[in-house]
């Protein structure tokens, strides 16, 4: 793979169950970047990290396969406040950062329960914060949460992929598998304030809520949307499949946005969520093509919109399912 033996050897010394592999992985990433080639290969294994990994502008970080090389949390990583990121990039619109062929799994339980809400104290992990620009890429990544133990797990606001700053690039085979969420601020994809060209190919998002009922002391809610695009421009989604109870895409105050080919499986449990595909605020130059809202199993709430356009200064347009 082009890496020198020293880097291969360094990686081979980590990945043992019980060890905190963060320092070894970060040292390899830093050394490869300093050497100029940036390449770090992750062999088959489970790698436990106790802190955020940072990829640099020239990093190429790739594993044996999405199901074979797994980065997960170490038990000594026990944050009780704020949002915690598993992996992030430098903020550089000219970066050539690559990430691929591995799985990133975060914790969702441990630390006991908040006495007021019952929420798990360590349930605050998000997967990826991407701030590398148009020349960057991800491919064949698997992201998931593990450790669900009760209906109160998954209540804190979390995001799987976040794109901010100089974030952009091409992202292939994005598969998010957090099918149980309990916070309306959860996002599979959150894009805020970016302008670098950003494209998704074969995007599959799944975000549901727990079945209706009373879950004291709080009742979980569906996310407001799977994909949020806010104050951003130049975003493309080429083929999207979505499951669950949440809207698919909301473009808010954004420009030059396109969704080509959308298929939903499952209904919206709450008509107040505003519909599957939404363009709101001052958004302009938005294209949605070949959008299918399919209900082979679930029946949506009465009045659910397949498409909602609510633009500043214009009459609201709604296309009610079906």
């Amino acid at each position: 793979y082009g890496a020198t033996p020293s880097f291969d050897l360094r990686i081979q010394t980590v990945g043992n169950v019980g060890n905190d592999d963060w320092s070894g992985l970060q040292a390899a990433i830093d050394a490869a970047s300093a050497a100029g080639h940036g390449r770090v290969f992750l062999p088959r294994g489970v790698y436990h990290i106790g802190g955020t990994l940072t990829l640099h502008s020239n990093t190429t970080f790739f594993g044996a396969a999405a199901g074979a090389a797994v980065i997960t949390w170490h038990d000594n990583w026990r944050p009780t406040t704020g949002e915690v990121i598993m992996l992030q990039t430098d903020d550089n619109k000219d970066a050539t950062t690559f990430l691929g062929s591995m799985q990133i799994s975060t914790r969702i339980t441990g630390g006991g329960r908040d006495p007021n809400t019952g929420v798990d104290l360590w349930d605050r992990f998000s997967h990826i914060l991407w701030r590398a620009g148009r020349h960057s890429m991800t491919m064949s990544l698997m992201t998931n949460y593990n450790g669900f133990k009760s209906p109160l797990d998954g209540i804190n606001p979390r995001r799987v992929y976040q794109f901010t700053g100089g974030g952009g690039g091409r992202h292939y085979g994005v598969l998010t598998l957090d099918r149980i969420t309990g916070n309306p601020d959860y996002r599979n994809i959150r894009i805020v304030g970016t302008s670098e060209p950003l494209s998704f190919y074969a995007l599959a998002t799944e975000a549901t809520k727990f079945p209706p009922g009373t879950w004291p002391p709080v009742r979980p809610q569906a996310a407001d949307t799977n994909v949020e695009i806010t104050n951003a421009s130049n975003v493309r989604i080429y083929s999207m499949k979505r499951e669950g109870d949440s809207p698919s895409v909301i473009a808010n105050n954004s420009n030059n946005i396109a969704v080509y080919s959308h298929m939903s499986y499952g209904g919206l449990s709450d008509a107040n969520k505003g519909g599957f595909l939404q363009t709101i605020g001052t958004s302009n130059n938005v294209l949605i093509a070949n959008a299918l809202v399919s209900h082979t199993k679930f029946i949506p709430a009465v009045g659910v919109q397949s498409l909602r356009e609510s633009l500043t200064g214009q009459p609201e347009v709604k296309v009610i399912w079906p």
Side-chain angles (χ1 to χ4, degrees):
Y1 294 96
T4 65
S6 61
F7 295 124
D8 292 336
L9 182 60
R10 186 192 301 270
I11 293 296
Q12 294 288 359
T13 63
V14 299
N16 299 316
V17 174
N19 292 341
D20 184 349
D21 301 319
W22 176 85
S23 60
L25 291 173
Q26 190 63 60
I29 292 168
D30 295 345
S33 178
H37 57 77
R39 294 186 296 271
V40 178
F41 170 64
L42 200 64
R44 172 183 286 272
V46 178
Y47 301 83
H48 298 80
I49 59 174
T52 304
L53 286 175
T54 299
L55 306 184
H56 301 304
S57 298
N58 65 343
T59 296
T60 296
F61 189 36
F62 58 108
V70 180
I71 294 177
T72 189
W73 47 269
H74 191 278
D75 190 56
N76 65 11
W77 201 356
R78 302 179 176 188
T80 57
T81 60
E83 180 185 2
V84 181
I85 306 296
M86 292 286 289
L87 188 149
Q88 66 183 1
T89 71
D90 288 342
D91 190 352
N92 184 345
K93 66 181 182 64
D94 296 317
T96 58
T97 312
F98 174 88
L99 174 68
S101 299
M102 65 179 67
Q103 176 177 324
I104 302 173
S105 180
T106 72
R107 79 182 309 157
I108 203 168
T109 59
R113 303 285 179 181
D114 183 292
N116 297 315
T117 65
V119 173
D120 196 289
L121 291 176
W122 296 345
D123 166 31
R124 54 189 69 255
F125 282 82
S126 296
H127 291 84
I128 298 171
L129 174 61
W130 198 264
R131 297 172 296 182
R134 67 185 67 190
H135 305 296
S136 66
M137 183 188 302
T138 68
M139 181 181 292
S140 188
L141 291 178
M142 183 182 295
T143 57
N144 71 338
Y145 292 85
N146 56 27
F148 280 106
K149 293 182 179 178
S150 86
L152 292 175
D153 297 331
I155 301 298
N156 286 334
R158 290 173 280 109
R159 301 102 170 103
V160 180
Y161 287 80
Q162 297 185 76
F163 295 85
T164 64
R170 295 167 292 161
H171 304 273
Y172 296 89
V174 177
L175 174 64
T176 60
L177 291 175
D178 187 11
R179 298 201 60 186
I180 302 178
T181 63
N183 192 299
D185 198 36
Y186 169 85
R187 300 288 185 269
N188 279 300
I189 308 289
R190 186 171 188 261
I191 305 164
V192 176
T194 64
S195 60
E196 284 289 292
L198 172 59
S199 299
F200 300 91
Y201 302 81
L203 172 61
T205 65
E206 299 184 7
T208 72
K209 69 180 183 67
F210 286 92
T214 301
W215 302 99
V218 294
R219 178 181 174 181
Q221 303 178 57
D224 284 338
T225 183
N226 280 262
V227 179
E228 173 191 353
I229 307 172
T230 299
N231 298 323
S233 58
N234 309 321
V235 178
R236 296 289 183 269
I237 298 175
Y238 298 96
S239 178
M240 176 181 181
K241 174 255 189 182
R242 153 254 182 242
E243 291 189 18
D245 295 339
S246 301
S248 300
V249 180
I250 297 179
N252 182 17
N253 299 334
S254 295
N255 173 59
N256 191 22
I257 311 296
V259 179
Y260 301 96
S261 181
H262 161 276
M263 193 282 282
S264 69
Y265 178 77
L268 292 185
S269 61
D270 184 356
N272 293 325
K273 291 293 186 182
F276 290 88
L277 296 155
Q278 302 178 48
T279 302
I280 62 178
T282 58
S283 295
N284 65 89
N285 192 17
V286 177
L287 172 67
I288 298 173
N290 302 325
L292 173 65
V293 176
S294 174
H295 294 282
T296 58
K297 183 177 180 181
F298 303 101
I299 303 301
V302 175
V304 162
Q305 300 137 38
S306 295
L307 177 67
R308 171 180 174 240
E309 183 182 80
S310 182
L311 300 178
T312 302
Q314 299 186 34
E316 187 170 67
V317 177
K318 299 179 181 179
V319 178
I320 305 298
W321 186 89

